[in-house]
Amino acid sequence: MATHHHDTGYDELFSHPEFVQQLIEGFAPAEIAGLMGFTTPSFPSGVIGNPS
């Protein structure tokens, strides 16, 4: 898969799981944030950017 220069921002953002957790908990409704499994990040199959 080719990497585009605009992907680097997302790569940098999502390479800091604690920051992503804080963003989700701060901006998403509590019901949604509560569904997230922050201790075991994973990539669903078929998602763009899935490293597997």
Side-chain angles (χ1 to χ4, degrees), residues 29-48:
E31 306 83 46
I32 301 299
L35 296 173
M36 303 297 293
F38 295 111
T39 58
T40 55
S42 63
F43 295 90
S45 62
V47 173
I48 294 174

Side-chain angles (χ1 to χ4, degrees), residues 18-30 32-34 36 38:
E18 299 86 8
F19 181 67
V20 174
Q21 179 177 353
Q22 290 174 354
L23 282 174
I24 293 171
E25 290 176 340
F27 290 100
I32 301 299
M36 303 297 293
F38 295 111

